[in-house]
Amino acid sequence: MADVNDVAPTPSQKVSGIVILTGTPARLTAGFDLLKENEGARLLVSGVNSKVTRENLRQATGQSQELMNCCVDLGRLARNTVGNAYETSLWAKSNNFNSLAIVTSAYHMPRSLVELKRQMPDVKFIAYPVASDTLELTGWWKNPRAFMVVAGEFNKYVFSLVRARLD
């Protein structure tokens, strides 16, 4: 299991690297809010579609040009969670980061941390789970769509754990 030191950084817990695993608008909002709270930090948005420009992302998230220019990197290598982990490892290494805040959906966090820890066993991860703004998880077992998402994520998580044990 990933060595997660904390869930959701506290105001006294400054981070130098923040990673948003692309997905919902709520993840982007949470990640940019975290960046603004951590002066001097850098942010990686991992898995950005090649058609999305910096300007598109800036406008969609309502960020200033200054913030985007100084502190935001767009990763375009990742196509899945394993790719997010690889892309993040390259970024963290190039910036000499040894601790990262990870922003992703709460249901996606456990598997993300397993994959990230496989790539970067010596890095400290601070989980920053975000409630999904596209999937209602209350009573998920009664909702066929939510059930399929949770069941699928659980299966992927178990597979990640097995793969991590075999490494």
Side-chain angles (χ1 to χ4, degrees):
M1 178 74 164
D3 175 30
V4 181
N5 301 75
D6 288 298
V7 174
T10 62
S12 64
Q13 219 177 354
K14 297 298 181 188
V15 296
S16 49
I18 301 162
V19 180
I20 302 171
L21 305 183
T22 53
T24 66
R27 294 183 197 183
L28 291 167
T29 299
F32 278 103
D33 288 349
L34 188 56
L35 176 63
K36 291 171 189 171
E37 294 168 13
N38 285 271
E39 189 175 320
R42 287 203 70 76
L43 180 135
L44 170 67
V45 183
S46 176
V48 177
N49 186 296
S50 61
K51 296 176 183 172
V52 175
T53 67
R54 248 176 137 47
E55 184 59 17
N56 294 148
L57 185 63
R58 186 191 74 72
Q59 289 179 3
T61 59
Q63 305 308 315
S64 71
Q65 193 69 50
E66 293 76 25
L67 183 70
M68 292 296 289
N69 290 341
C70 84
C71 311
V72 178
D73 299 309
L74 304 184
R76 299 182 185 276
L77 296 175
R79 300 287 178 256
N80 55 37
T81 305
V82 173
N84 289 134
Y86 176 70
E87 182 170 70
T88 299
S89 72
L90 296 176
W91 179 78
K93 185 176 182 178
S94 72
N95 286 287
N96 296 314
F97 292 152
N98 59 9
S99 66
L100 300 171
I102 306 300
V103 181
T104 191
S105 294
Y107 68 84
H108 186 238
M109 187 63 73
R111 180 167 60 98
S112 300
L113 292 172
V114 169
E115 295 299 344
L116 288 159
K117 202 63 173 173
R118 281 183 66 227
Q119 287 289 329
M120 299 169 280
D122 298 325
V123 171
K124 174 184 173 185
F125 296 102
I126 301 167
Y128 198 83
V130 177
S132 175
D133 56 358
T134 60
L135 182 67
E136 178 55 53
L137 292 176
T138 304
W140 62 267
W141 57 92
K142 295 185 253 179
N143 177 326
R145 179 174 175 266
F147 180 85
M148 292 303 293
V149 170
V150 171
E153 187 62 31
F154 178 76
N155 288 335
K156 293 176 193 177
Y157 172 66
V158 170
F159 183 73
S160 290
L161 287 174
V162 170
R163 191 172 51 226
R165 287 277 195 232
L166 296 175
D167 281 349

